[in-house]
Amino acid sequence: MDLSTAEAKLTSESYETLEQFFYDLNMIWENCRKYNGPTSVYGELANKMEHNMKRIVTSINFNAERELPMRRERITFEEDKTEITMAEKW
């Protein structure tokens, strides 16, 4: 699993639940650390992306098993000005 595959699955609405989406994301972070090393540049980026994803999930406060239409939302993290566009099932 990689980010482009997860994005393609989001775009094509292949995920039936957010739980499936988060499962794939967690697989990406774990594989990145496993194959690149946890302290490599890629491993550190995976850690940061995983941390930010957990913050998003916590701030949105949703049920991962919901099955509703997709919506795109831009989220900015104030401390480091990181911006992402997230597809979310409402």
Side-chain angles (χ1 to χ4, degrees), residues 15-89:
Y15 292 112
E16 293 181 18
T17 66
L18 281 172
E19 185 175 52
Q20 293 171 342
F21 173 62
F22 292 128
Y23 177 86
D24 281 353
L25 286 181
N26 284 323
M27 186 183 306
I28 293 168
W29 317 145
E30 290 172 15
N31 286 343
C32 186
R33 288 186 290 262
K34 179 179 179 180
Y35 294 108
N36 297 291
T39 59
S40 70
V41 171
Y42 301 109
E44 293 293 329
L45 287 172
N47 292 338
K48 184 173 183 175
M49 292 169 67
E50 180 180 37
H51 172 76
N52 284 333
M53 193 50 149
K54 287 178 181 177
R55 286 183 16 203
I56 292 168
V57 170
T58 302
S59 69
I60 293 174
N61 191 23
F62 58 82
N63 179 342
E65 295 180 2
R66 286 191 278 187
E67 298 181 27
L68 299 165
M70 299 294 276
R71 169 174 103 86
R72 293 204 180 271
E73 181 175 323
R74 180 162 287 289
I75 298 172
T76 303
F77 298 103
E78 289 302 319
E79 68 269 7
D80 60 6
K81 302 298 183 201
T82 303
E83 286 191 13
I84 63 167
T85 299
M86 183 178 126
E88 176 189 344
K89 288 196 176 190

